[in-house]
Amino acid sequence: MLLTNQLLQHALKEWAIAVEALSKGETIVLLRKGGIREAGFSVKHSPIWLYPTYEHQKPELLKPSYESQVVPVPSGWHPESVTIQSCAEITDVLSLDDSSQVKALQPYHVWHELMISDRLKWQPKRPLFVLLLRVYRCATPQTIPFEQAYGGCKSWINLRKPIATDNLQPVLSAAEYQQLVGEIKTVSQNS
């Protein structure tokens, strides 16, 4: 495994509900356009820690099976500490700008169609990036204090202290992961 005995400092921020779904192997897909403070989205690092965020999570923007798991928080709220439970290798980045391509991927992610249409309409000249992530769970999740530098609408953060990648376990086997990657690529290209 590539992730053994490394110290990783880079993290990708994502809704806590999506991080949980990735960490359980319920999805391998994240959809990104970039944060409000970013000129666009690009994959800056891999492998990365998955940093769960709570602000801006809206139940109505998730599929029904996920919406009841979200506890909305007030704007600007951040926890005193955050638990990092998984690491990921970003194996593929697909660039989509056609709504039929994105609609074809509906079975593979956690978001409601409303969220997807909103994402496509926001800054329409930017493509929607589909990230495919091979996720590994920590045997012992790491709880770290929240830092002001972690806040804000941005995709990438650098953790104050790197976290060791010891005792990571893949969420899906290599064969399961490659099968999903193949399905997603086929579906997105044939739509």
Side-chain angles (χ1 to χ4, degrees), residues 5 22 37 51 59 85 111 180 186:
N5 299 321
L22 286 161
R37 296 183 184 171
Y51 183 94
Q85 65 177 333
W111 292 278
L180 284 170
T186 299

Side-chain angles (χ1 to χ4, degrees), residues 25 28 108 132 172 175-185:
I28 65 167
Y108 298 97
L132 304 183
L172 299 173
E176 291 170 315
Y177 183 74
Q178 287 307 317
Q179 179 180 341
L180 284 170
V181 168
E183 288 176 20
I184 290 166
K185 286 181 173 181

Side-chain angles (χ1 to χ4, degrees), residues 26-47:
E26 295 171 357
T27 185
I28 65 167
V29 174
L30 286 181
L31 304 175
R32 302 302 295 231
K33 267 203 176 177
I36 292 171
R37 296 183 184 171
E38 298 168 325
F41 181 79
S42 64
V43 173
K44 296 182 178 185
H45 311 283
S46 183

Side-chain angles (χ1 to χ4, degrees), residues 164-177:
T165 60
D166 300 334
N167 300 317
L168 294 176
Q169 296 297 316
V171 173
L172 299 173
S173 71
E176 291 170 315
Y177 183 74

Side-chain angles (χ1 to χ4, degrees), residues 98-105 185-191:
D98 182 85
S99 61
S100 64
Q101 289 175 304
V102 179
K103 187 174 178 116
L105 294 177
K185 286 181 173 181
T186 299
V187 165
S188 67
Q189 292 167 358
N190 293 334
S191 300

Side-chain angles (χ1 to χ4, degrees), residues 6-9 11 19 23 49-52 54 79-87 136-146 150 157 159-168:
Q6 289 186 39
L7 286 174
L8 295 181
Q9 187 171 16
V19 170
S23 299
W49 292 110
L50 296 174
Y51 183 94
Y54 301 87
E80 290 182 17
S81 61
V82 174
T83 299
I84 305 291
Q85 65 177 333
S86 51
C87 181
Y136 302 83
R137 282 187 70 93
C138 299
T140 305
Q142 301 292 309
T143 299
I144 61 172
F146 174 77
Y150 302 162
I157 59 172
L159 302 177
R160 178 184 278 251
K161 293 181 182 177
I163 299 173
T165 60
D166 300 334
N167 300 317
L168 294 176

